[in-house]
Amino acid sequence: MQLHFSPSMRSLTISSSNGFSALMKIKVAARHISYRTLFHTILILAFLLPFVFILTALVTLEDCLGRRLGPRLLGRVDDSGRLVRDFYKILNEVKTGEIPPDLNLPDSFDQLVADMKNNQYDANTFAFMLRGMMEKFEREIRESKFAELMNKHFAASSIPKGIHCLSLRLTDEYSSNAHARKQLPPPELLPLLSDNSYHHFILSTDNILAASVVVTSTVQSSLNPEKIVFHVITDKKTYAGMHSWFALNPANPAIVEVKGVHQFEWLTRENIPVLEAVENQNGIRNYYHGNHVAGANLSDTNPRKFASKLQARSPKYISLLNHLRIYLPELFPNLDKVVFLDDDVVIQRDLSPLWEIDLQGKVNGAVETCRGDDEWVMSKHFRNYFNFSHPLIAKNLDPDECAWAYGMNIFDLRAWRKTNIRETYHSWLRENLKSNLTMWKLGTLPPALIAFKGHVHPIDPSWHMLGLGYQNNTNVEHVKKAAVIHYNGQSKPWLQIGFEHLRPFWTKYVNYSNDFVRNCHILES
């Protein structure tokens, strides 16, 4: 605060230092100031100056504290906290109430704002509208998710046009080109098909392109490819095309044999009556090929469980090719030890050390899937595959027992022939058929988990990495280090729904320069 006297001493001006000027201006008489006037002036100043000081202090505090303290001292209180508490109270009240049936729910936030402005809704109506919109959007998102899973299931169950074209063109080549029909392997190499000093791989598939990747990746990753013998088993309709491919594209120096299921004398109806029933029973065919949504109560499940159920209904699970591995001792009576590979694997490391593993009298060398860093892929116990509310399952199995993986298995066929694994497998298949598939629903692994019980030797997990067909966030660095990577799941690398960042590990073994591949427009993505 400042006092200013005019040069003529005729006036006195009082001003503040923060911009408020001329708070008080006192004119003084022209000639002299009496002691009475001076006394009254000083008295007035003594009365007014404290108020001016307080006002100045409040203004300064308001400026410095960003209206945090000043408004309260001046009586201007912020009501936002009370409004939030009141609105929260209203939301709690409408949470359990019935949404009015005549309430028109807006389709967007902009429409909500416009409706509120035009109709002047009260707080309760506004809260009901918010709740109704949220529930509506949640239903639509849930329905979209289930529709997406269904579409993915159909895509995974179908045959891509390029792969279908490849099979047809190679089949036609078999009938018109003598080179495509040449004997595999040549007659002079036939004795090697039962020579146990070689490393025998068995592959059962009707996918020619996938078979080529498995064979090529195995041979290229091997330190001794000349010691490899591949036994490729396919169905009757694919046999000609499969034979043509390996006749025209030999995997030298490895040996490749191609056989159709119709060429195995042992595979008769008498030897596999249960599988005959599995393939031909109408109820089972409808379960795997029918409408997967009809009759399903989607409100009682979540997308993750629904996806698992869809995967369990893949038509491949009733294919004879998928069950053939249970008959290996009979199909290859002269072999002692073999490695069985699924058609959705890629070999990245030499597998010859597998033959050196001591299985300690067990039949099946496999990677266990109940422990590991990946909680989704490596957390499988018997409870994940079996219905333990069924009395037979509850009586004979332990829900906490560790599961193991198909896809890359080392089988000791000599030890296998001393067991009753095949009979146990058939017995449990019959029981599941009698119970209308209520004991388990996921293909060939559950009965194998039972049949091989006590006959499995765990091998190091680095031999077999799973989940590349349904785990989008698979660790790429772990993929690079694995000996065998397995695209188990729906997102196969040859499908458009395959994961882009995982597909190159598979496509690197596809011969895109091959005329049949190019003519069928199977292009590198």
Side-chain angles (χ1 to χ4, degrees):
M1 186 173 296
Q2 298 174 347
L3 298 177
H4 298 278
F5 290 93
S6 67
S8 62
M9 299 296 291
R10 293 183 179 180
S11 65
L12 173 67
T13 302
I14 303 172
S15 64
S16 66
S17 59
N18 64 346
F20 288 89
S21 62
L23 290 177
M24 182 176 293
K25 190 172 184 180
I26 304 172
K27 290 186 178 181
V28 184
R31 296 189 181 273
H32 65 275
I33 300 175
S34 67
Y35 289 110
R36 179 187 291 270
T37 302
L38 184 59
F39 174 76
H40 288 161
T41 300
I42 294 173
L43 188 63
I44 292 171
L45 288 174
F47 179 76
L48 291 178
L49 284 177
F51 290 99
V52 175
F53 174 77
I54 292 173
L55 179 60
T56 303
L58 287 175
V59 172
T60 303
L61 282 172
E62 186 171 354
D63 290 338
C64 294
L65 300 181
R67 301 182 61 85
R68 293 168 61 186
L69 181 59
R72 297 184 183 276
L73 293 175
L74 296 177
R76 300 196 299 272
V77 179
D78 186 1
D79 288 337
S80 60
R82 182 177 59 82
L83 290 175
V84 170
R85 289 191 297 272
D86 291 345
F87 189 60
Y88 180 72
K89 181 180 178 182
I90 293 171
L91 290 177
N92 267 335
E93 291 174 355
V94 302
K95 184 169 64 175
T96 55
E98 290 290 334
I99 298 178
D102 57 343
L103 187 64
N104 292 323
L105 299 177
D107 294 324
S108 66
F109 180 76
D110 289 340
Q111 187 180 343
L112 173 65
V113 174
D115 288 350
M116 289 294 299
K117 182 178 179 181
N118 297 332
N119 300 313
Q120 298 293 311
Y121 291 127
D122 59 25
N124 267 45
T125 304
F126 175 67
F128 272 120
M129 291 184 72
L130 279 181
R131 178 188 159 195
M133 289 178 66
M134 291 295 294
E135 291 180 356
K136 174 186 174 184
F137 292 150
E138 285 175 359
R139 285 194 302 271
E140 291 176 352
I141 292 172
R142 183 180 175 84
E143 290 170 1
S144 298
K145 185 62 179 177
F146 283 122
E148 176 192 352
L149 291 172
M150 279 302 305
N151 292 334
K152 190 173 183 179
H153 172 69
F154 291 137
S157 302
S158 63
I159 301 174
K161 183 168 65 175
I163 291 179
H164 183 61
C165 163
L166 183 66
S167 180
L168 292 177
R169 285 180 177 268
L170 286 167
T171 299
D172 181 65
E173 192 72 11
Y174 184 84
S175 62
S176 60
N177 185 348
H179 290 289
R181 297 192 302 273
K182 68 181 180 180
Q183 185 173 347
L184 291 178
E188 64 273 16
L189 298 179
L190 286 177
L192 301 183
L193 296 180
S194 56
D195 188 337
N196 283 295
S197 67
Y198 281 72
H199 297 147
H200 293 266
F201 293 88
I202 299 175
L203 172 65
S204 176
T205 180
D206 60 356
N207 187 327
I208 298 172
L209 191 65
S212 74
V213 168
V214 174
V215 172
T216 301
S217 64
T218 304
V219 173
Q220 290 186 12
S221 301
S222 175
L223 298 178
N224 299 292
E226 69 281 356
K227 299 292 290 183
I228 290 177
V229 177
F230 254 99
H231 306 268
V232 180
I233 307 174
T234 190
D235 56 17
K236 190 172 184 178
K237 66 178 175 57
T238 314
Y239 171 75
M242 188 75 75
H243 188 105
S244 293
W245 176 268
F246 287 105
L248 300 173
N249 302 279
N252 296 329
I255 298 168
V256 177
E257 173 195 31
V258 178
K259 292 191 74 171
V261 291
H262 58 289
Q263 296 174 318
F264 286 94
E265 296 180 359
W266 188 88
L267 288 175
T268 63
R269 292 186 178 184
E270 291 73 23
N271 289 327
I272 53 171
V274 177
L275 294 185
E276 183 77 15
V278 167
E279 284 196 310
N280 295 326
Q281 184 172 320
N282 287 334
I284 296 176
R285 293 191 65 81
N286 288 336
Y287 176 80
Y288 286 99
H289 293 278
N291 188 337
H292 298 340
V293 175
N297 187 359
L298 299 183
S299 62
D300 288 344
T301 188
N302 57 50
R304 182 169 173 174
K305 290 181 179 178
F306 185 65
S308 296
K309 290 180 180 179
L310 286 178
Q311 185 177 345
R313 297 178 75 163
S314 172
K316 73 175 185 178
Y317 291 129
I318 59 172
S319 165
L320 176 59
L321 287 175
N322 208 40
H323 290 266
L324 273 185
R325 67 195 87 197
I326 205 68
Y327 305 116
L328 294 183
E330 289 77 23
L331 299 181
F332 300 95
N334 298 317
L335 296 182
D336 295 337
K337 214 171 193 180
V338 300
V339 168
F340 190 95
L341 298 172
D342 279 357
D343 63 0
D344 52 357
V345 304
V346 172
I347 314 304
Q348 302 187 127
R349 206 164 74 210
D350 178 41
L351 298 186
S352 57
L354 288 174
W355 274 263
E356 307 304 321
I357 295 177
D358 181 7
L359 297 181
Q360 299 177 9
K362 305 294 185 181
V363 172
N364 178 6
V367 168
E368 292 184 320
T369 55
C370 65
R371 57 183 65 90
D373 295 334
D374 194 324
E375 294 182 358
W376 169 233
V377 177
M378 304 298 284
S379 61
K380 301 295 190 295
H381 295 79
F382 275 30
R383 73 170 72 91
N384 299 104
Y385 297 97
F386 298 100
N387 173 20
F388 277 87
S389 64
H390 193 287
L392 269 180
I393 295 295
K395 179 181 178 181
N396 291 279
L397 302 180
D398 177 6
D400 295 320
E401 186 166 345
C402 188
W404 47 268
Y406 262 155
M408 195 285 293
N409 305 83
I410 176 78
F411 289 119
D412 185 338
L413 300 187
R414 288 177 301 177
W416 191 337
R417 294 185 185 101
K418 300 174 184 177
T419 71
N420 60 346
I421 289 174
R422 174 166 57 92
E423 291 75 13
T424 303
Y425 188 90
H426 282 175
S427 173
W428 280 92
L429 274 181
R430 290 191 192 95
E431 292 296 334
N432 197 30
L433 288 174
K434 291 178 184 176
S435 68
N436 197 26
L437 303 180
T438 58
M439 296 167 69
W440 71 80
K441 296 185 182 299
L442 184 59
T444 56
L445 183 56
L449 290 175
I450 300 175
F452 283 101
K453 200 171 185 305
H455 299 289
V456 178
H457 176 75
I459 62 175
D460 192 281
S462 64
W463 283 111
H464 185 190
M465 182 176 182
L466 298 112
L468 278 72
Y470 62 80
Q471 182 76 322
N472 188 28
N473 60 350
T474 298
N475 189 310
V476 173
E477 293 304 314
H478 291 173
V479 172
K480 293 177 181 177
K481 297 175 182 177
V484 177
I485 55 175
H486 193 173
Y487 292 84
N488 57 312
Q490 293 178 320
S491 301
K492 303 298 185 189
W494 55 82
L495 299 175
Q496 288 186 348
I497 60 174
F499 300 126
E500 292 294 333
H501 65 296
L502 299 177
R503 184 179 285 125
F505 293 98
W506 186 85
T507 56
K508 66 187 289 188
Y509 295 107
V510 177
N511 182 7
Y512 289 102
S513 64
N514 181 274
D515 288 340
F516 291 98
V517 173
R518 285 192 296 105
N519 291 335
C520 287
H521 306 290
I522 301 174
L523 302 178
E524 187 171 7
S525 56

